[in-house]
Amino acid sequence: MTTNSASVGILGATGYTGAELLRLLARHGSARVTCMTSERFAGQTIDRVFPHLAGRDLPTLSKIGEEDLGKLDVVFGCLPHGTSQEVIGAMPKGPKIVDLSADFRLKDPINYERTYGKPHAAVERQEAAVYGLTELAREAVKKTDLVANPGCYPTTTQLPLRPLLEAGLIKHDSIIIDAKSGVTGAGRAPKEGSLHTEVSEGLHAYGVSTHRHTPEIEQGLSESAGEPIAVTFTPHLVPMNRGILSTTYVHLKGSVVAEDLQDALEKRYQGEPFVKVLPFRSLPATRHVRGTNRCLIAVHPGRLPDRAILLSVTDNLVKGASGQALQNMNVMLDFPEAEGLKEEPLFP
Amino acid sequence: MTTNSASVGILGATGYTGAELLRLLARHGSARVTCMTSERFAGQTIDRVFPHLAGRDLPTLSKIGEEDLGKLDVVFGCLPHGTSQEVIGAMPKGPKIVDLSADFRLKDPINYERTYGKPHAAVERQEAAVYGLTELAREAVKKTDLVANPGCYPTTTQLPLRPLLEAGLIKHDSIIIDAKSGVTGAGRAPKEGSLHTEVSEGLHAYGVSTHRHTPEIEQGLSESAGEPIAVTFTPHLVPMNRGILSTTYVHLKGSVVAEDLQDALEKRYQGEPFVKVLPFRSLPATRHVRGTNRCLIAVHPGRLPDRAILLSVTDNLVKGASGQALQNMNVMLDFPEAEGLKEEPLFP
Amino acid sequence: MTTNSASVGILGATGYTGAELLRLLARHGSARVTCMTSERFAGQTIDRVFPHLAGRDLPTLSKIGEEDLGKLDVVFGCLPHGTSQEVIGAMPKGPKIVDLSADFRLKDPINYERTYGKPHAAVERQEAAVYGLTELAREAVKKTDLVANPGCYPTTTQLPLRPLLEAGLIKHDSIIIDAKSGVTGAGRAPKEGSLHTEVSEGLHAYGVSTHRHTPEIEQGLSESAGEPIAVTFTPHLVPMNRGILSTTYVHLKGSVVAEDLQDALEKRYQGEPFVKVLPFRSLPATRHVRGTNRCLIAVHPGRLPDRAILLSVTDNLVKGASGQALQNMNVMLDFPEAEGLKEEPLFP
Amino acid sequence: MTTNSASVGILGATGYTGAELLRLLARHGSARVTCMTSERFAGQTIDRVFPHLAGRDLPTLSKIGEEDLGKLDVVFGCLPHGTSQEVIGAMPKGPKIVDLSADFRLKDPINYERTYGKPHAAVERQEAAVYGLTELAREAVKKTDLVANPGCYPTTTQLPLRPLLEAGLIKHDSIIIDAKSGVTGAGRAPKEGSLHTEVSEGLHAYGVSTHRHTPEIEQGLSESAGEPIAVTFTPHLVPMNRGILSTTYVHLKGSVVAEDLQDALEKRYQGEPFVKVLPFRSLPATRHVRGTNRCLIAVHPGRLPDRAILLSVTDNLVKGASGQALQNMNVMLDFPEAEGLKEEPLFP
């Protein structure tokens, strides 16, 4: 970084994570978007795609390849899974990269292939990538050129669970994560299942026992546990746009009580600007983090003596995607970590 | 029943369960509402409270005590918890009663007092009441004068679980129920927490480990298991009006596999008009039962070998309240069980 | 009609109007669906497309041409505009036809071509078609073989306006219709603009001064007025699934007062099963007709002396589409007009 | 202003406009909240009322009278109508006041009494108050001590209309405003009509020809027109939390065409940071201003030659309430006008 203001590129700027980056970067004092790509809308201005972004001083959309990405300070990859590894694999060295796709999250190429059904196309970069759950990987993020930005479900579930595994407070074989997400998690692709008519006034589970975020969650938990962990993970689609709530059921080890989990989490996240451990038995709501990079965590004792319940909420487009990506950029470029991320929740 | 058309009274007709009974009874060929009470709106017609009921041939609202309830064939109690036991305790013998409150659901007076914080005011009737989860209590319902109509969460969770406990397929000590409900479950009382502004575009858990439906669920499960069972039960409030989805996590006994659960449930509910076991690994949605008395159940294998996940959905105002109440009335009066309950789902 | 039960075909059964016909026909005592077509899902059962219809005794989906439509008693056309005229133009004589597309609504081929940008492909049938706003065209519907089922906006706006024009109570040159519709009006086609993320928590106008329902509305109003009428018509998209509310602003002629409009409408719709004129100054809500074939109308005086405001609400999928289509079928086949249309509103 | 940071008091901080001020002030570089009152929650911290505000450095809630308001630089009045005039009437001179209630908006005491049914309790202050539609009253706001902050509907409708009246482009006797608002406009008071169950999935008009914002709108339009104007104004309640869309129907004078309106509005609002005139025939959506102080305006030609349609959208809690209040504070205290109001829209 030799300039005062980092030049930022966004690959795939016309999805929701791209739009969200543009929203957040508008308030960033030291970064400036100088390149935005969209295969479908190249040549157009962003307000054709997102009228709410009209009036911003932003570059015209271009196709990947039309511009020299190497001259940028940072590149955010908001491309579809699969495409991302190809584009990033072919990128010149130089820019710091934060990839929001799933492509670089799984460290083990075999695990990747099993999960995504084909071999990875940029294995070297995959191996060098740092999994950017910022609060738990700050030092590594600082040193890397490629951050694999965590998924929305993995972010919301790992933040409460990993410190407890590291502290040896909970059993490894019985973690159950019941997660609920708003509709932005499905992206902007026009699909019947994402229509207002099909989503509103209703609720359903999906990807039961098979969702692709499961291996990503397990990778992180296993790292903290020091041994392979398998979890039960059930996502649900809730008729709202933003927000994830994870309700996580754990068995306590030996003489551990729920208050011990509270203490461990409070200690672990003390001073963190974005991860907040609420008072014991609190009831966090997704609407209370809307538009922010926050994760709220609460601990509840179980009705059965050796159990506890963890509640954690994020805005899936912010801490679960673009906000954490920006947080990672700030760490990589040695900017204040909260720069561009100071928004208060929009409620109601 | 000596008349052709049963005369029906609804105590507390101006809440949502009362309105729902009125909706369903409009299509019932052998029942006629002749008495509707409301302490707050007595003397008025129902369309003042519920404009959507205008034009119906319905009696004027009266106060309890103004009319002789003893002359009715059936009385539905839609009164608040606590009030219900007093009114029903003082009622003359004669009418069949279906009580939709929680007052007569817990068989054990000590359990009742522990859960609701005061002794029961009509213990005798409490002991004689039949817990009307119709599919599992049909014969008893047929013979009783007082049905305690199950709660919405207990209905949605017991229907998949109890046959599995009876068949000895799942472990007793590790049942976790993660339930999600629409807002009608909170009733029509004006509370900040039920405002559109506070509910829409958001999600939260409530009553974690402490919800009053827990003892009711445990009572039913324990009966089926043949020993006391404690469960983990976490309700959530979802921004929709109607619907409950229960995601239930179970451990399989010995060599049991998830397909065995599927078989047991299919066999148990074969021929049932309202409880449908979907094909293995289906994804039921609350919107697919909207306005109907149906419960859809699906079985999923766990990611871990000895686990399974049960999904069950109902419309909390119908099978979870007024529909099941009407179903119980039909059984009590020897009407066709589906009379008045043939609505197709309203989707979208 | 020589059989006891009319055999019904639905062309294009896998859109929302098709699904709604299937919902309503389930409760019809004298009609049976024997043919359902879908170019995209031919060979499959309907529950693959609409899980909420599982368990119904319905024929497998077929392609148009695979079955002899001539043997049916009634055919409902739920095909896209443009396609409908081709299919219906080629159909054998015999079955009564109710076409829900816009293809046969405009009587004047020149008007049709100007509005839809190409000549009509079945002009003869177009000329013979009866515009089936049932309450205003009952006798003609009774005699015809082809009903052009009115659009949702035209139904909701013509019902209050046409009797007033016929009675000579309002001026012809200053009718302003501000209409608001739920999202089902846009159909089931996956489009970005219909996604939950793009529709919920927001509101916008569309088709200002250019919406294709305008000529349809004007055709009906002109017929009632006895001279050509042009109207201002502005539709809006509201974040709800079902419902249309038309707020219509009229200038009163000479010494007419708003109460005169009330009288004229009450007289005109006296005894109608589906069109209800509410007490003067009522506030009808779309949620109060949800799922029903009803149209509620209210008259309000203006703040300025010679003005009045008309409010009218329908469920766009029922009275605005499939319900009125069924009503027309009942009239054509001399069934009781309300058969299959007795549902009470689903509220909340 | 002698200090670097203005000390701000919020009277009635526990409603939605109070919470919104707190949200916006968090990003204001030169203002600091030092006093917040709430009769109901005095003695508590704000996070008890609004959990999303937890962690902010804010004063404990107090009762009016417990603190010396005279020492504050600015006071925002977020009290109910009626109460506000009493409290503000009794306040010591000194602080600049921005009152968000309706109490000081109507200049004519007779008009006030007719509209609100009782005489004004602080007539002197009423007469001295400046109606703070900032873009149209900047100089007067700069000089006053008391700003009557405009209502949400009046803001959204006057911004497009008043420049056209001033320019003499539209007729005075036929303005029709069809307005649609989200639910936050009804405030946080628990009322049946504001429940999620009663608001979602539905739509209705209210206050037809009688809404209290009508005289406020007429006062502003009359001032611009130079003669008394009466308008038709119909508000509607839309199932969303934030946003107002006004669809305004106007008759053009003489040879005026819709493009002339476009020109006049573009010229009038050129350079304004918050009021944006979109390209001719644009379709502004409330969701595109969510969370911002913006008003988007679009002009459409009518289907009839001498008509035009104006569309205008705001976030009713920001430009329609707390945002404009803050904008007025900035003008009064000579801060940069956009300070604290730079948020980008939160979409989706």
Side-chain angles (χ1 to χ4, degrees):
Chain A
M1 271 289 300
T2 54
T3 58
N4 286 327
S5 187
S7 68
V8 172
I10 301 177
L11 309 181
T14 56
Y16 291 137
T17 53
E20 191 67 359
L21 276 169
L22 292 170
R23 178 176 80 88
L24 298 169
L25 284 162
R27 304 300 297 274
H28 198 290
S30 311
R32 190 171 31 94
V33 178
T34 58
C35 167
M36 310 192 309
T37 79
S38 164
E39 301 310 293
R40 187 168 156 214
F41 297 100
Q44 301 191 22
T45 51
I46 190 73
D47 59 303
R48 296 296 299 272
V49 186
F50 287 121
H52 73 288
L53 295 174
R56 295 275 299 275
D57 180 23
L58 289 168
T60 299
L61 292 158
S62 61
K63 289 202 185 209
I64 291 170
E66 289 178 1
E67 292 191 57
D68 176 11
L69 301 177
K71 72 181 182 198
L72 298 165
D73 294 309
V74 197
V75 168
F76 290 101
C78 299
L79 299 168
H81 308 314
T83 305
S84 198
Q85 59 195 260
E86 289 175 19
V87 171
I88 288 174
M91 260 186 62
K93 295 281 168 184
K96 303 278 187 182
I97 302 173
V98 183
D99 184 52
L100 285 83
S101 83
D103 279 7
F104 296 96
R105 294 180 194 155
L106 295 183
K107 290 228 166 300
D108 176 4
I110 293 168
N111 193 4
Y112 177 87
E113 188 168 347
R114 189 171 48 221
T115 305
Y116 291 92
K118 57 176 187 179
H120 202 285
V123 174
E124 271 173 58
R125 299 220 76 163
Q126 184 194 17
E127 281 164 4
V130 166
Y131 185 77
L133 193 56
T134 326
E135 284 76 10
L136 305 182
R138 202 169 264 129
E139 291 313 308
V141 167
K142 206 170 283 195
K143 292 177 201 144
T144 190
D145 283 340
L146 174 57
V147 162
N149 208 58
C152 48
Y153 286 125
T155 294
T156 314
T157 58
Q158 289 181 81
L159 283 171
L161 277 171
R162 291 184 60 175
L164 304 180
L165 288 165
E166 285 168 13
L169 297 171
I170 58 174
K171 294 188 183 168
H172 293 186
D173 62 347
S174 52
I175 296 169
I176 292 176
I177 302 160
D178 190 283
K180 301 93 178 165
S181 173
V183 190
T184 49
R188 208 191 192 199
K191 294 177 291 191
E192 273 168 6
S194 300
L195 294 175
H196 186 276
T197 45
E198 308 273 327
V199 168
S200 71
E201 261 295 303
L203 181 71
H204 64 274
Y206 65 99
V208 181
S209 300
T210 62
H211 194 279
R212 286 173 170 182
H213 278 174
T214 317
E216 182 182 339
I217 294 168
E218 291 174 341
Q219 170 182 279
L221 301 190
S222 300
E223 190 183 317
S224 291
E227 65 168 359
I229 281 192
V231 298
T232 299
F233 171 63
T234 315
H236 300 75
L237 187 67
V238 175
M240 61 185 187
N241 283 336
R242 287 171 181 254
I244 283 186
L245 167 60
S246 279
T247 311
T248 303
Y249 300 90
V250 297
H251 280 227
L252 307 176
K253 277 194 184 168
S255 60
V256 173
V257 293
E259 285 82 351
D260 297 330
L261 310 192
Q262 177 78 17
D263 291 345
L265 288 167
E266 283 183 6
K267 189 182 281 182
R268 180 63 187 79
Y269 291 118
Q270 195 173 15
E272 283 293 346
F274 299 121
V275 181
K276 301 292 178 192
V277 182
L278 301 181
F280 197 53
R281 306 191 92 146
S282 291
L283 298 169
T286 61
R287 57 183 74 81
H288 295 152
V289 298
R290 191 185 303 145
T292 76
N293 199 46
R294 297 178 193 168
C295 176
L296 304 182
I297 297 174
V299 179
H300 287 255
R303 185 169 169 86
L304 289 81
D306 59 341
R307 318 291 169 92
I309 297 145
L310 309 169
L311 302 171
S312 50
V313 298
T314 61
D315 181 325
N316 59 302
L317 283 183
V318 193
K319 185 61 180 169
S322 305
Q324 185 156 254
L326 188 54
Q327 186 182 0
N328 282 323
M329 180 197 88
N330 285 339
V331 173
M332 291 168 103
L333 298 186
D334 208 23
F335 292 148
E337 192 169 320
E339 183 63 26
L341 295 166
K342 292 168 190 160
E343 307 279 311
E344 294 298 313
L346 192 78
F347 172 81
Chain B
M1 272 287 300
T2 55
T3 57
N4 287 326
S5 187
S7 68
V8 173
I10 301 176
L11 308 181
T14 55
Y16 291 138
T17 54
E20 191 68 358
L21 275 169
L22 291 170
R23 179 177 78 89
L24 298 169
L25 283 162
R27 305 297 299 272
H28 197 289
S30 311
R32 191 172 28 95
V33 178
T34 59
C35 167
M36 310 192 310
T37 79
S38 164
E39 301 309 294
R40 186 168 157 215
F41 298 99
Q44 302 191 21
T45 51
I46 189 73
D47 59 301
R48 294 297 297 273
V49 185
F50 288 122
H52 73 287
L53 295 174
R56 296 274 299 274
D57 181 23
L58 289 168
T60 300
L61 292 159
S62 61
K63 289 201 185 211
I64 291 171
E66 289 178 2
E67 291 191 56
D68 176 12
L69 301 177
K71 72 179 185 204
L72 298 166
D73 294 310
V74 197
V75 168
F76 289 102
C78 300
L79 298 168
H81 307 315
T83 305
S84 199
Q85 60 193 259
E86 288 175 18
V87 171
I88 287 174
M91 259 187 61
K93 295 281 167 181
K96 304 278 188 182
I97 302 172
V98 183
D99 183 51
L100 285 82
S101 83
D103 278 7
F104 296 96
R105 293 181 196 155
L106 294 183
K107 289 227 166 301
D108 176 4
I110 294 167
N111 193 4
Y112 177 87
E113 190 169 344
R114 190 171 46 220
T115 305
Y116 291 93
K118 58 175 185 176
H120 201 283
V123 174
E124 270 173 59
R125 297 221 76 162
Q126 184 194 19
E127 280 166 3
V130 166
Y131 186 75
L133 192 57
T134 326
E135 284 76 10
L136 305 182
R138 202 169 265 130
E139 292 312 308
V141 168
K142 205 170 284 192
K143 292 176 200 145
T144 191
D145 283 339
L146 174 56
V147 162
N149 208 58
C152 48
Y153 286 125
T155 294
T156 314
T157 58
Q158 289 181 80
L159 283 171
L161 277 171
R162 290 183 60 175
L164 304 180
L165 289 165
E166 284 169 14
L169 297 171
I170 58 174
K171 294 187 183 170
H172 293 185
D173 62 348
S174 51
I175 296 169
I176 292 176
I177 301 159
D178 189 284
K180 300 94 178 166
S181 173
V183 190
T184 49
R188 209 191 191 199
K191 293 178 292 189
E192 273 167 8
S194 300
L195 294 175
H196 186 276
T197 44
E198 307 273 328
V199 169
S200 72
E201 261 295 304
L203 180 71
H204 63 277
Y206 64 100
V208 181
S209 300
T210 62
H211 194 279
R212 286 175 169 180
H213 278 176
T214 317
E216 183 183 338
I217 294 169
E218 291 175 340
Q219 170 182 278
L221 301 191
S222 299
E223 190 184 317
S224 290
E227 65 168 0
I229 282 192
V231 298
T232 299
F233 171 63
T234 314
H236 300 75
L237 187 68
V238 175
M240 61 186 186
N241 282 336
R242 286 171 181 254
I244 283 185
L245 167 60
S246 279
T247 310
T248 303
Y249 300 89
V250 296
H251 280 229
L252 307 176
K253 278 193 183 168
S255 61
V256 173
V257 293
E259 285 82 351
D260 297 329
L261 310 191
Q262 177 78 17
D263 291 344
L265 287 167
E266 283 183 4
K267 189 182 282 182
R268 180 62 187 81
Y269 291 118
Q270 195 173 15
E272 284 293 346
F274 299 121
V275 181
K276 302 292 177 192
V277 181
L278 301 181
F280 198 54
R281 306 193 91 145
S282 290
L283 298 169
T286 60
R287 58 183 73 81
H288 296 152
V289 298
R290 191 187 301 147
T292 77
N293 199 45
R294 297 178 193 168
C295 176
L296 304 182
I297 297 174
V299 178
H300 287 254
R303 184 168 169 87
L304 289 80
D306 59 341
R307 318 290 170 94
I309 296 145
L310 309 169
L311 302 171
S312 49
V313 298
T314 60
D315 182 324
N316 58 303
L317 282 184
V318 194
K319 185 61 180 171
S322 305
Q324 185 155 256
L326 189 54
Q327 186 183 1
N328 282 324
M329 180 196 88
N330 286 338
V331 173
M332 291 167 103
L333 297 185
D334 208 22
F335 291 148
E337 193 169 321
E339 183 63 27
L341 295 166
K342 292 168 189 159
E343 308 279 310
E344 294 297 313
L346 192 78
F347 173 82
Chain C
M1 272 289 300
T2 55
T3 58
N4 286 327
S5 187
S7 68
V8 172
I10 300 177
L11 308 181
T14 55
Y16 291 137
T17 54
E20 191 68 359
L21 275 168
L22 291 170
R23 178 177 79 90
L24 297 169
L25 284 162
R27 304 298 298 273
H28 198 290
S30 310
R32 191 172 30 93
V33 177
T34 58
C35 167
M36 309 192 310
T37 79
S38 164
E39 301 310 295
R40 186 166 156 215
F41 298 100
Q44 302 191 20
T45 52
I46 189 73
D47 59 300
R48 294 297 298 273
V49 186
F50 288 121
H52 73 288
L53 296 174
R56 295 275 298 275
D57 181 23
L58 289 168
T60 300
L61 291 158
S62 61
K63 289 201 186 212
I64 291 171
E66 288 179 2
E67 291 192 57
D68 176 11
L69 301 178
K71 72 180 183 197
L72 298 166
D73 294 309
V74 197
V75 169
F76 290 102
C78 299
L79 299 167
H81 307 314
T83 306
S84 198
Q85 59 193 258
E86 288 175 19
V87 171
I88 287 174
M91 259 186 61
K93 296 282 167 180
K96 303 279 187 183
I97 302 172
V98 183
D99 183 51
L100 285 83
S101 83
D103 278 7
F104 296 96
R105 293 181 195 154
L106 295 182
K107 289 228 165 300
D108 176 4
I110 294 168
N111 193 4
Y112 178 87
E113 189 169 347
R114 189 171 47 221
T115 305
Y116 290 94
K118 57 175 186 179
H120 201 283
V123 174
E124 271 173 58
R125 298 220 77 163
Q126 183 194 18
E127 282 165 2
V130 166
Y131 185 75
L133 192 56
T134 326
E135 284 77 10
L136 305 182
R138 204 168 262 129
E139 292 312 308
V141 167
K142 205 169 284 194
K143 293 177 199 144
T144 191
D145 283 341
L146 173 57
V147 162
N149 208 58
C152 48
Y153 286 125
T155 294
T156 314
T157 59
Q158 289 182 82
L159 283 171
L161 277 172
R162 290 184 59 175
L164 303 181
L165 288 165
E166 284 169 12
L169 297 171
I170 57 174
K171 293 188 184 170
H172 294 185
D173 62 347
S174 50
I175 296 169
I176 292 176
I177 302 159
D178 190 284
K180 300 94 178 166
S181 173
V183 190
T184 49
R188 209 190 191 198
K191 293 177 292 190
E192 274 167 7
S194 301
L195 294 174
H196 186 277
T197 44
E198 308 273 328
V199 168
S200 72
E201 260 294 305
L203 180 71
H204 64 276
Y206 65 100
V208 182
S209 301
T210 61
H211 193 279
R212 284 175 171 181
H213 278 176
T214 317
E216 183 183 339
I217 294 169
E218 290 175 339
Q219 170 182 277
L221 300 190
S222 299
E223 190 184 317
S224 290
E227 65 167 1
I229 282 191
V231 299
T232 299
F233 172 63
T234 314
H236 300 75
L237 187 67
V238 175
M240 62 185 186
N241 282 337
R242 286 171 181 253
I244 282 186
L245 167 59
S246 279
T247 311
T248 303
Y249 300 90
V250 296
H251 280 228
L252 307 177
K253 277 193 184 169
S255 60
V256 173
V257 293
E259 286 82 351
D260 298 330
L261 311 191
Q262 177 79 17
D263 291 345
L265 288 167
E266 283 184 4
K267 190 181 281 181
R268 180 63 188 81
Y269 291 117
Q270 194 173 17
E272 283 293 346
F274 300 121
V275 181
K276 302 291 179 193
V277 181
L278 302 180
F280 197 54
R281 307 192 91 148
S282 290
L283 297 169
T286 60
R287 58 183 74 81
H288 296 152
V289 298
R290 191 187 300 146
T292 77
N293 199 45
R294 296 178 195 169
C295 176
L296 304 181
I297 297 174
V299 178
H300 287 254
R303 185 169 169 84
L304 289 81
D306 59 340
R307 318 290 170 92
I309 296 145
L310 309 168
L311 302 171
S312 50
V313 298
T314 61
D315 182 324
N316 58 303
L317 282 183
V318 195
K319 185 61 181 169
S322 305
Q324 185 156 255
L326 190 53
Q327 185 182 2
N328 282 324
M329 180 196 89
N330 286 338
V331 172
M332 291 168 103
L333 298 185
D334 208 23
F335 291 148
E337 193 169 320
E339 184 62 27
L341 296 166
K342 293 168 189 158
E343 308 280 311
E344 294 297 313
L346 192 79
F347 172 82
Chain D
M1 272 288 301
T2 54
T3 57
N4 286 327
S5 187
S7 68
V8 172
I10 301 177
L11 308 182
T14 56
Y16 291 138
T17 53
E20 191 69 358
L21 276 169
L22 291 170
R23 179 177 78 88
L24 297 169
L25 283 162
R27 305 298 297 273
H28 198 291
S30 311
R32 190 172 30 93
V33 178
T34 59
C35 167
M36 310 193 308
T37 79
S38 164
E39 301 309 294
R40 187 166 156 215
F41 297 100
Q44 301 192 21
T45 52
I46 190 73
D47 59 301
R48 294 296 299 271
V49 186
F50 287 122
H52 72 288
L53 295 175
R56 296 274 298 275
D57 181 23
L58 289 168
T60 299
L61 291 159
S62 60
K63 287 201 188 212
I64 291 171
E66 289 179 2
E67 291 191 57
D68 176 11
L69 301 178
K71 69 175 187 206
L72 298 166
D73 294 309
V74 198
V75 168
F76 290 101
C78 300
L79 299 168
H81 308 314
T83 305
S84 198
Q85 59 194 259
E86 289 174 18
V87 171
I88 288 175
M91 261 186 61
K93 296 282 166 181
K96 303 278 187 183
I97 303 173
V98 183
D99 183 51
L100 285 82
S101 83
D103 278 7
F104 296 96
R105 293 182 196 154
L106 294 183
K107 290 228 165 300
D108 176 3
I110 295 168
N111 193 5
Y112 178 86
E113 189 169 345
R114 191 171 46 220
T115 304
Y116 290 93
K118 57 175 186 178
H120 201 285
V123 175
E124 270 173 60
R125 298 220 76 162
Q126 183 193 18
E127 280 165 5
V130 165
Y131 185 76
L133 193 56
T134 326
E135 284 76 11
L136 305 182
R138 203 169 264 129
E139 291 312 309
V141 167
K142 204 168 285 192
K143 292 175 200 147
T144 190
D145 282 341
L146 172 56
V147 162
N149 208 58
C152 49
Y153 286 125
T155 294
T156 315
T157 58
Q158 290 181 81
L159 283 171
L161 276 172
R162 289 183 61 175
L164 303 180
L165 288 165
E166 285 168 12
L169 296 171
I170 58 174
K171 294 187 184 171
H172 294 183
D173 63 348
S174 51
I175 296 169
I176 291 175
I177 302 159
D178 191 284
K180 299 95 179 166
S181 173
V183 190
T184 48
R188 208 190 191 199
K191 292 177 294 188
E192 274 167 7
S194 301
L195 294 174
H196 187 276
T197 45
E198 307 273 327
V199 168
S200 72
E201 260 296 301
L203 181 70
H204 64 276
Y206 65 100
V208 181
S209 301
T210 62
H211 194 279
R212 284 173 171 182
H213 278 176
T214 318
E216 182 183 339
I217 295 169
E218 290 174 342
Q219 170 181 280
L221 301 190
S222 299
E223 190 184 317
S224 291
E227 65 168 1
I229 281 191
V231 299
T232 299
F233 171 63
T234 313
H236 300 75
L237 186 68
V238 175
M240 60 186 189
N241 282 337
R242 287 171 181 254
I244 282 186
L245 167 60
S246 279
T247 311
T248 303
Y249 299 90
V250 295
H251 280 229
L252 307 176
K253 276 193 185 170
S255 60
V256 173
V257 294
E259 285 82 351
D260 297 330
L261 311 191
Q262 177 77 19
D263 291 345
L265 288 167
E266 283 183 3
K267 188 181 283 182
R268 181 63 187 79
Y269 291 117
Q270 196 173 15
E272 283 294 346
F274 300 122
V275 181
K276 301 293 179 193
V277 182
L278 301 181
F280 198 53
R281 305 193 92 147
S282 290
L283 298 169
T286 60
R287 58 184 72 81
H288 296 152
V289 298
R290 190 186 302 146
T292 76
N293 199 45
R294 296 178 194 169
C295 176
L296 304 182
I297 298 174
V299 178
H300 286 255
R303 185 168 169 85
L304 288 81
D306 60 340
R307 318 292 170 92
I309 296 145
L310 309 169
L311 302 171
S312 50
V313 298
T314 61
D315 182 325
N316 58 303
L317 282 184
V318 193
K319 184 61 181 170
S322 305
Q324 184 155 254
L326 189 53
Q327 186 182 0
N328 282 323
M329 180 197 89
N330 286 339
V331 172
M332 291 168 102
L333 298 185
D334 209 22
F335 292 148
E337 192 169 321
E339 183 63 27
L341 296 167
K342 292 169 190 159
E343 308 279 311
E344 294 297 313
L346 191 79
F347 172 82

